[in-house]
Amino acid sequence: MTDTERVRAAEAAVIEVRNPGTGAIVGAVTDHTADDVAAAVRELRLFQPEWEAIGADGRKQWLLKLQDWLLDNTEHLADVLQSETSKPRADALIDPTFGADVTGYYARRAAKFLADDHPSPHSPLARVKKLTTAYRPYPVVGVITPWNFPLAMPIMDVIPALAAGAAVVLKPSEVTPLSALELARGWAEIGAPPVFAVLTGGGATGAAVVDNADYIQFTGSTATGRRIAAACVERLVPYSLELGGKDPAIVLADADIDRAAHGIAFGGMFNAGQVCISVERVYVEAPVYDEFVAKLTENVKALRQGIDGRGLNHDVGALANENQVRIVQRHVDEAVAAGARVLTGGKRTGEGTFFEPTVLVDVHQGMSCVAEETFGPTLPVLRVADEDEAVRLANDSVYGLSASVWTGDKDRGERIARRLNAGAVNINDVFANLFSYALPMGGWGQSGVGARWGGASGVRKYCRQQAITKPILPTQRKELFWYPVKPSNLLIALGAMRAAGARGLRRVDLPALLKSTGHRG
Ligand code: NAD
């Protein structure tokens, strides 16, 4: 650090990080300015060409070292993550392990995913060239993430971008920046090239990332996503947005009701409901409604809420901050005021930001708990007459992130999946798509633009496509079409294109062609 940098760092504003379960301050991070972001991006630009040049196999070595680091440091990473989230231990352990899995997937497959394509020429005339599509990374990718999975969320997008050969600037949520800083520490500790920088700060720091990077990968609320899209359009830089959701579960009368009740309890309450693809509303066919509601309520009542250090004795933790508590409480209160019944839960509990796992019935489609994203531990359950009504109500949303269908007939489940307006549908399961990196993960409607992952698409999205043509045959001094214009050459060239394009001589129309190329008046 130079003296000037030292003075600046001392003067820099900081953001305190709190444990939401206890209210304790667990850290403080720099609130980076727009100038800091611009400087960091300038520096990344210096090192990115070398990172691209070492190729996917060269990058694989570094990414596998990072994977080792994640696996070696899992307990510590879970400690840091728990400190800034108040998640139970089981939830906190998922981030580093999931992160290591994603990292290994892209490290090992990027070379194959980024290999040049050699498409067949569309016409016999183009066969004189070898055609190549090369995948060349955007120099600097900006990744902006929310607070719900403070380590896994950044890894999900940072790693594919690094694997593509881009440098990455990450702006983690100001609510949970500590885990992201650990990731940066890991990158430095393995001695990897300086092509990954973490800049902590709030919305203004995120906006500066949008102002400086060459591609923006954003995960967060629909409202922020919309602002980022507008800024990207202004700069003409591409973007991908992973936004909010209101995921429906459809339980049909032929389903295994025990499995549906367990799966939906997990899908609605995992991470205290703060998962973009949480189950947020449940449509149950009338004949099994009572049985399902009784079993779901029993499962949700049995959940153990709290934080347990390094133990595994709790299922559900705290909400990320007071704002989340306010949203969840409002959705429950508005539902109750409009005639809904709370079968379990319904209020905040304990000292911190804990909200009881909640099951709501006698709700209807217009209530905020069914229409708006809650992002908390609530499961509103609605009775439907049949499959058609379930599909109609499930599709009656501005969101379309994911959905689940519970049925004893898997083919029927797939048929229903194809009627749902959602970026992913899990049959007799929840979150399965999230653990399948070979599939795209993207939202429809207001749930997003673009998608992450999806095998090769997951790294190619961070690349610009470059078309390269190379002569196969020895080249002549001049091509037929080059200057000066000659009627005879034009006649041959246009005639050949017409014949090749229309697949035969039928549309060559020699008399008209002779006339238009000046051979006959
Ligand atoms: P948020 O939109 O408030 O913030 C997300 C990030 O954007 C934060 O890092 C924030 O600092 C930054 N930011 C805020 N204003 C900005 C601006 N003008 N320009 C650039 N960056 C800006 O979201 P949140 O409250 O942190 O997260 C919760 C939301 O995230 C929920 O809606 C949830 O559904 C969504 N989410 C979506 C997915 C998905 O994959 N679709 C995954 C997780 C969370």
Side-chain angles (χ1 to χ4, degrees), residues 144-149 153 156-157 171-175 201-210 216-225 227-228 231 241-245 274-277 280 321 323-324 373 375 399 401 434 441-443 447-448 452:
I144 301 172
T145 52
W147 41 255
N148 56 343
F149 292 95
M153 218 51 256
M156 281 159 72
D157 296 316
K171 209 299 281 176
S173 169
E174 58 274 39
V175 181
T205 313
V209 168
V210 177
I216 303 301
Q217 171 64 45
F218 171 76
T219 307
S221 63
T222 300
T224 308
R227 276 199 291 278
I228 288 177
L241 307 174
E242 305 296 325
L243 309 176
Q274 302 168 115
V275 187
C276 53
I277 54 172
E280 290 232 353
N321 51 39
N323 193 39
Q324 282 307 119
E373 182 181 51
F375 222 59
Y399 294 113
L401 197 50
L434 182 60
M441 181 190 180
S447 288
R452 62 164 62 89

Side-chain angles (χ1 to χ4, degrees), residues 396-475:
D396 175 25
S397 172
V398 294
Y399 294 113
L401 197 50
S402 85
S404 61
V405 180
W406 304 80
T407 168
D409 177 348
K410 288 175 266 182
D411 293 337
R412 182 184 181 202
E414 191 169 343
R415 279 196 302 277
I416 294 172
R418 289 168 197 275
R419 297 174 64 197
L420 292 173
N421 296 332
V425 182
N426 296 303
I427 297 162
N428 295 336
D429 210 342
V430 287
F431 306 153
N433 67 302
L434 182 60
F435 292 90
S436 306
Y437 323 129
L439 288 175
M441 181 190 180
W444 294 7
Q446 296 197 9
S447 288
V449 174
R452 62 164 62 89
W453 303 341
S457 314
V459 281
R460 288 184 177 179
K461 67 181 272 189
Y462 295 116
C463 294
R464 299 158 297 180
Q465 296 180 40
Q466 187 170 49
I468 300 173
T469 72
K470 189 163 76 179
I472 292 174
L473 301 174
T475 48

Side-chain angles (χ1 to χ4, degrees), residues 48-297:
Q48 185 274 334
E50 176 65 15
W51 182 242
E52 180 182 356
I54 64 172
D57 284 328
R59 297 190 290 273
K60 173 180 169 182
Q61 310 310 321
W62 291 113
L63 294 176
L64 289 180
K65 278 189 187 163
L66 184 71
Q67 185 189 43
D68 278 337
W69 185 88
L70 289 167
L71 293 169
D72 291 343
N73 290 278
T74 294
E75 288 296 325
H76 168 70
L77 292 168
D79 287 346
V80 173
L81 197 139
Q82 260 190 312
S83 78
E84 61 181 346
T85 59
S86 287
K87 295 189 189 212
R89 191 69 181 174
D91 288 8
L93 285 167
I94 286 176
D95 272 54
T97 313
F98 177 88
D101 195 25
V102 174
T103 303
Y105 175 76
Y106 278 105
R108 295 194 178 85
R109 285 180 178 71
K112 182 174 154 219
F113 292 160
L114 293 171
D116 291 349
D117 284 334
H118 297 290
S120 324
H122 79 285
S123 143
L125 297 178
R127 289 197 187 282
V128 294
K129 305 285 184 196
K130 179 175 181 184
L131 305 185
T132 300
T133 309
Y135 296 91
R136 304 276 316 282
Y138 289 98
V140 178
V141 169
V143 175
I144 301 172
T145 52
W147 41 255
N148 56 343
F149 292 95
L151 183 65
M153 218 51 256
I155 286 177
M156 281 159 72
D157 296 316
V158 166
I159 297 299
L162 286 172
V168 177
V169 55
L170 166 67
K171 209 299 281 176
S173 169
E174 58 274 39
V175 181
T176 57
L178 303 181
S179 298
L181 288 173
E182 287 298 306
L183 186 64
R185 187 172 69 79
W187 188 252
E189 225 170 85
I190 62 170
V195 289
F196 172 46
V198 175
L199 273 96
T200 49
T205 313
V209 168
V210 177
D211 285 343
N212 285 278
D214 307 308
Y215 182 106
I216 303 301
Q217 171 64 45
F218 171 76
T219 307
S221 63
T222 300
T224 308
R226 193 174 278 119
R227 276 199 291 278
I228 288 177
C232 288
V233 166
E234 196 57 44
R235 286 192 59 223
L236 284 181
V237 296
Y239 57 90
S240 180
L241 307 174
E242 305 296 325
L243 309 176
K246 190 70 190 174
D247 289 3
I250 294 177
V251 182
L252 298 171
D254 63 359
D256 173 343
I257 299 301
D258 281 318
R259 181 173 172 85
H262 281 296
I264 290 171
F266 180 66
M269 301 303 164
F270 174 63
N271 204 33
Q274 302 168 115
V275 187
C276 53
I277 54 172
S278 287
V279 177
E280 290 232 353
R281 52 199 171 116
V282 190
Y283 300 100
V284 188
E285 265 192 313
V288 292
Y289 176 85
D290 290 338
E291 181 190 354
F292 173 81
V293 167
K295 288 181 171 166
L296 176 73
T297 308

